[in-house]
Amino acid sequence: MTGPVSVDWAATLSEWSLRCPSCKTATLTDRETTLDCQACKSTFALRDGVAHLMDFDTRPDLKDFALVYQDIRQAEGYTGRGSVCYRALPKQIEKDADSRIWRIRRRSFDMFKRLLTRSVPRGGKVLDLGSGNGWLSHNLAMLGYRPMGMDINADPDDGLAALRHYDLRWPAVLTSFDDLPLAEGTADLAVFNGSLHYSTNIEATLAEVFRVLKPGGSIVILDTPIYRDPTSGAAMMEERRRHYLATHGHVTTLDTAGYLSWAQIGGWSQRFDCRVDTLRPWYGVKWALRPLMARVLGTREPASFALIVLTKE
């Protein structure tokens, strides 16, 4: 069953310093069905518990991406779970199209949870960037943290409005993570949960997230594919493009990064004046043998996954 979605936006605005995305200076005011800016008179809808702080008319590329992404996810069976299944994630009650992916997600989340509880006190504010159906925000709320989910997808089953499936509530904001509607120094930690590779400019995205972190805050990158040889990442992107064209007849026009390289990650400490730590979950023997099998078979390098932790100095 799904419950009515009610979020205490008055308290959220006080805790999070949510600012107007139009004038980028004034904070917003809760009007029950809208969030209003007293400075520039902009008004933003509140629907299904989600604050719609992004105007897709100004970003047709993101609108196209969101629509294509929703179509593909629905066609490939990533939607339609019952509320009990949502609340159990990253554990799975029922097998579905992405069972293999959830096995990886569980291992990544277990390590992330240990990192989080060591580094951020309960009650800390955590940005869930590219939050999808909200499963990570739900787990954060259960652990006693104050999450805010952000995404460009407000779908009721696979996006922000999936908030209706959970028995806990947290603020969900429709926005791009390249233009966060937050004041400087707001969040204790930000996490990209299988989402950073959807950025069109990784370094610009990270710079924007560092802006809203408190001193000593961290960005954690989960489940984004990483390659030693960038040509392998480019080959993966081409394979995926051909698959989507053959299976669904269309692809997004948004030029997303798609992957990271280890060399790219190695340059971030100097670029952002931050500490870079790499944590490697154990995904199993078969996963560990993939690079060796690729060399034996003469196929491209497979993606690796790790928790990349960037700590603001």
Side-chain angles (χ1 to χ4, degrees):
M1 294 179 63
T2 59
V5 179
S6 60
V7 174
D8 188 346
W9 281 103
T12 296
L13 295 174
S14 174
E15 293 174 359
W16 278 91
S17 300
L18 204 61
R19 68 181 189 179
C20 174
S22 297
C23 67
K24 301 186 184 302
T25 55
T27 55
L28 298 171
T29 302
D30 176 29
R31 300 299 187 193
E32 294 190 357
T33 59
T34 62
L35 298 180
D36 296 354
C37 176
Q38 299 303 304
C40 69
K41 307 305 180 185
S42 296
T43 296
F44 305 94
L46 292 174
R47 291 195 298 270
D48 302 319
V50 179
H52 290 247
L53 300 190
M54 186 175 140
D55 182 3
F56 276 119
D57 290 338
T58 65
R59 291 297 307 271
D61 55 340
L62 292 183
K63 182 178 182 179
D64 172 75
F65 174 81
L67 292 173
V68 171
Y69 182 82
Q70 289 175 31
D71 287 346
I72 291 174
R73 295 277 293 183
Q74 186 172 17
E76 296 192 344
Y78 289 103
T79 61
R81 301 179 182 90
S83 294
V84 173
C85 294
Y86 282 91
R87 295 172 188 178
L89 293 173
K91 296 180 181 178
Q92 281 193 298
I93 295 175
E94 301 173 357
K95 297 286 186 180
D96 59 20
D98 50 356
S99 293
R100 181 181 61 85
I101 295 173
W102 284 111
R103 286 196 297 272
I104 295 171
R105 291 287 178 93
R106 285 195 295 274
R107 301 287 179 89
S108 299
F109 174 70
D110 286 344
M111 181 166 280
F112 170 69
K113 184 166 60 173
R114 292 193 295 271
L115 169 70
L116 178 68
T117 54
R118 289 197 309 264
S119 58
V120 180
R122 302 296 169 95
K125 293 186 288 188
V126 181
L127 282 176
D128 181 5
L129 299 170
S131 61
N133 65 31
W135 73 266
L136 181 59
S137 286
H138 178 239
N139 279 272
L140 290 168
M142 288 196 298
L143 289 169
Y145 294 96
R146 290 180 290 168
M148 175 177 282
M150 291 185 166
D151 208 302
I152 62 169
N153 178 11
D155 186 83
D157 288 317
D158 200 39
L160 295 168
L163 183 64
R164 67 194 180 101
H165 291 288
Y166 300 100
D167 48 358
L168 298 176
R169 296 290 182 249
W170 55 87
V173 179
L174 186 77
T175 188
S176 164
F177 46 51
D178 291 333
D179 187 19
L180 301 175
L182 292 169
E184 289 77 3
T186 298
D188 295 288
L189 183 140
V191 55
F192 287 96
N193 182 24
S195 58
L196 180 59
H197 48 286
Y198 293 119
S199 169
T200 58
N201 186 324
I202 297 287
E203 279 68 30
T205 296
L206 292 175
E208 171 66 355
V209 179
F210 272 124
R211 179 186 67 80
V212 304
L213 282 182
K214 296 177 181 178
S218 295
I219 299 171
V220 183
I221 302 165
L222 304 180
D223 297 341
T224 278
I226 308 171
Y227 294 89
R228 295 193 181 280
D229 182 357
T231 61
S232 294
M236 176 275 293
M237 292 290 286
E238 178 60 20
E239 291 164 11
R240 182 168 294 182
R241 187 189 71 84
R242 290 179 179 178
H243 166 73
Y244 289 157
L245 278 175
T247 307
H248 307 290
H250 56 215
V251 294
T252 178
T253 57
L254 192 67
D255 187 19
T256 59
Y259 60 93
L260 300 173
S261 73
W262 288 110
Q264 179 183 19
I265 294 168
W268 287 346
S269 59
Q270 183 174 1
R271 177 160 188 158
F272 297 113
D273 191 22
C274 68
R275 190 178 76 246
V276 179
D277 296 301
T278 302
L279 306 176
R280 297 178 184 269
W282 176 248
Y283 295 119
V285 174
K286 288 184 178 180
W287 181 269
L289 290 174
R290 290 163 68 249
L292 175 61
M293 294 303 298
R295 289 194 293 271
V296 170
L297 297 174
T299 57
R300 69 163 173 81
E301 169 197 0
S304 60
F305 290 116
L307 275 69
I308 308 299
V309 185
L310 313 179
T311 304
K312 191 174 182 180
E313 300 287 359

